[in-house]
PDB file of all heavy atoms in Angstrom:
ATOM      1  N   ASN A 300     -19.458  -1.278  -4.166  1.00  0.00           N
ATOM      2  CA  ASN A 300     -20.768  -0.798  -3.729  1.00  0.00           C
ATOM      3  C   ASN A 300     -20.664   0.710  -3.518  1.00  0.00           C
ATOM      4  O   ASN A 300     -20.113   1.170  -2.525  1.00  0.00           O
ATOM      5  CB  ASN A 300     -21.186  -1.502  -2.436  1.00  0.00           C
ATOM      6  CG  ASN A 300     -22.624  -1.185  -2.047  1.00  0.00           C
ATOM      7  OD1 ASN A 300     -23.085  -0.055  -2.206  1.00  0.00           O
ATOM      8  ND2 ASN A 300     -23.338  -2.177  -1.529  1.00  0.00           N
ATOM      9  N   ALA A 301     -21.177   1.468  -4.486  1.00  0.00           N
ATOM     10  CA  ALA A 301     -21.097   2.922  -4.414  1.00  0.00           C
ATOM     11  C   ALA A 301     -22.145   3.503  -3.475  1.00  0.00           C
ATOM     12  O   ALA A 301     -22.005   4.647  -3.031  1.00  0.00           O
ATOM     13  CB  ALA A 301     -21.255   3.522  -5.811  1.00  0.00           C
ATOM     14  N   ASP A 302     -23.185   2.737  -3.176  1.00  0.00           N
ATOM     15  CA  ASP A 302     -24.236   3.228  -2.279  1.00  0.00           C
ATOM     16  C   ASP A 302     -23.769   3.191  -0.826  1.00  0.00           C
ATOM     17  O   ASP A 302     -23.944   4.163  -0.078  1.00  0.00           O
ATOM     18  CB  ASP A 302     -25.511   2.396  -2.460  1.00  0.00           C
ATOM     19  CG  ASP A 302     -26.007   2.426  -3.898  1.00  0.00           C
ATOM     20  OD1 ASP A 302     -25.971   3.516  -4.519  1.00  0.00           O
ATOM     21  OD2 ASP A 302     -26.405   1.362  -4.411  1.00  0.00           O
ATOM     22  N   ASP A 303     -23.168   2.068  -0.435  1.00  0.00           N
ATOM     23  CA  ASP A 303     -22.657   1.933   0.932  1.00  0.00           C
ATOM     24  C   ASP A 303     -21.176   2.287   1.028  1.00  0.00           C
ATOM     25  O   ASP A 303     -20.589   2.209   2.108  1.00  0.00           O
ATOM     26  CB  ASP A 303     -22.885   0.505   1.437  1.00  0.00           C
ATOM     27  CG  ASP A 303     -24.363   0.179   1.568  1.00  0.00           C
ATOM     28  OD1 ASP A 303     -25.157   1.118   1.802  1.00  0.00           O
ATOM     29  OD2 ASP A 303     -24.732  -1.002   1.423  1.00  0.00           O
ATOM     30  N   LYS A 304     -20.584   2.620  -0.094  1.00  0.00           N
ATOM     31  CA  LYS A 304     -19.197   3.084  -0.179  1.00  0.00           C
ATOM     32  C   LYS A 304     -18.191   2.077   0.398  1.00  0.00           C
ATOM     33  O   LYS A 304     -17.580   2.303   1.426  1.00  0.00           O
ATOM     34  CB  LYS A 304     -19.048   4.462   0.484  1.00  0.00           C
ATOM     35  CG  LYS A 304     -19.748   5.563  -0.298  1.00  0.00           C
ATOM     36  CD  LYS A 304     -19.359   6.957   0.160  1.00  0.00           C
ATOM     37  CE  LYS A 304     -20.062   7.330   1.431  1.00  0.00           C
ATOM     38  NZ  LYS A 304     -19.896   8.782   1.738  1.00  0.00           N
ATOM     39  N   TYR A 305     -18.062   0.948  -0.305  1.00  0.00           N
ATOM     40  CA  TYR A 305     -17.011  -0.001   0.045  1.00  0.00           C
ATOM     41  C   TYR A 305     -16.588  -0.796  -1.186  1.00  0.00           C
ATOM     42  O   TYR A 305     -17.322  -0.884  -2.188  1.00  0.00           O
ATOM     43  CB  TYR A 305     -17.432  -0.938   1.180  1.00  0.00           C
ATOM     44  CG  TYR A 305     -18.452  -1.997   0.826  1.00  0.00           C
ATOM     45  CD1 TYR A 305     -18.069  -3.193   0.219  1.00  0.00           C
ATOM     46  CD2 TYR A 305     -19.803  -1.823   1.127  1.00  0.00           C
ATOM     47  CE1 TYR A 305     -18.996  -4.170  -0.092  1.00  0.00           C
ATOM     48  CE2 TYR A 305     -20.732  -2.797   0.814  1.00  0.00           C
ATOM     49  CZ  TYR A 305     -20.330  -3.963   0.209  1.00  0.00           C
ATOM     50  OH  TYR A 305     -21.264  -4.934  -0.110  1.00  0.00           O
ATOM     51  N   LEU A 306     -15.378  -1.366  -1.095  1.00  0.00           N
ATOM     52  CA  LEU A 306     -14.801  -2.165  -2.159  1.00  0.00           C
ATOM     53  C   LEU A 306     -14.216  -3.412  -1.517  1.00  0.00           C
ATOM     54  O   LEU A 306     -13.349  -3.333  -0.657  1.00  0.00           O
ATOM     55  CB  LEU A 306     -13.702  -1.362  -2.874  1.00  0.00           C
ATOM     56  CG  LEU A 306     -12.927  -2.053  -3.996  1.00  0.00           C
ATOM     57  CD1 LEU A 306     -13.829  -2.402  -5.167  1.00  0.00           C
ATOM     58  CD2 LEU A 306     -11.783  -1.148  -4.468  1.00  0.00           C
ATOM     59  N   ALA A 307     -14.725  -4.583  -1.915  1.00  0.00           N
ATOM     60  CA  ALA A 307     -14.295  -5.860  -1.303  1.00  0.00           C
ATOM     61  C   ALA A 307     -13.586  -6.713  -2.346  1.00  0.00           C
ATOM     62  O   ALA A 307     -14.090  -6.897  -3.462  1.00  0.00           O
ATOM     63  CB  ALA A 307     -15.495  -6.607  -0.740  1.00  0.00           C
ATOM     64  N   PHE A 308     -12.403  -7.217  -1.997  1.00  0.00           N
ATOM     65  CA  PHE A 308     -11.558  -8.015  -2.879  1.00  0.00           C
ATOM     66  C   PHE A 308     -11.536  -9.474  -2.445  1.00  0.00           C
ATOM     67  O   PHE A 308     -11.423  -9.768  -1.246  1.00  0.00           O
ATOM     68  CB  PHE A 308     -10.103  -7.537  -2.835  1.00  0.00           C
ATOM     69  CG  PHE A 308      -9.858  -6.143  -3.322  1.00  0.00           C
ATOM     70  CD1 PHE A 308     -10.145  -5.052  -2.512  1.00  0.00           C
ATOM     71  CD2 PHE A 308      -9.310  -5.919  -4.566  1.00  0.00           C
ATOM     72  CE1 PHE A 308      -9.894  -3.766  -2.939  1.00  0.00           C
ATOM     73  CE2 PHE A 308      -9.058  -4.628  -5.006  1.00  0.00           C
ATOM     74  CZ  PHE A 308      -9.349  -3.545  -4.198  1.00  0.00           C
ATOM     75  N   LEU A 309     -11.564 -10.395  -3.409  1.00  0.00           N
ATOM     76  CA  LEU A 309     -11.244 -11.786  -3.113  1.00  0.00           C
ATOM     77  C   LEU A 309      -9.723 -11.897  -2.905  1.00  0.00           C
ATOM     78  O   LEU A 309      -8.962 -11.034  -3.335  1.00  0.00           O
ATOM     79  CB  LEU A 309     -11.679 -12.686  -4.273  1.00  0.00           C
ATOM     80  CG  LEU A 309     -13.191 -12.942  -4.404  1.00  0.00           C
ATOM     81  CD1 LEU A 309     -13.466 -13.807  -5.623  1.00  0.00           C
ATOM     82  CD2 LEU A 309     -13.751 -13.573  -3.146  1.00  0.00           C
ATOM     83  N   PRO A 310      -9.268 -12.969  -2.235  1.00  0.00           N
ATOM     84  CA  PRO A 310      -7.824 -13.121  -1.983  1.00  0.00           C
ATOM     85  C   PRO A 310      -7.027 -13.174  -3.279  1.00  0.00           C
ATOM     86  O   PRO A 310      -7.499 -13.653  -4.315  1.00  0.00           O
ATOM     87  CB  PRO A 310      -7.748 -14.456  -1.223  1.00  0.00           C
ATOM     88  CG  PRO A 310      -9.091 -14.638  -0.620  1.00  0.00           C
ATOM     89  CD  PRO A 310     -10.049 -14.046  -1.597  1.00  0.00           C
ATOM     90  N   GLY A 311      -5.767 -12.713  -3.202  1.00  0.00           N
ATOM     91  CA  GLY A 311      -4.915 -12.703  -4.379  1.00  0.00           C
ATOM     92  C   GLY A 311      -3.943 -13.850  -4.478  1.00  0.00           C
ATOM     93  O   GLY A 311      -3.301 -14.049  -5.510  1.00  0.00           O
TER      94      GLY A 311
END
Side-chain angles (χ1 to χ4, degrees):
N300 188 322
D302 302 319
D303 295 332
K304 291 193 282 191
Y305 72 82
L306 178 64
F308 297 78
L309 286 178

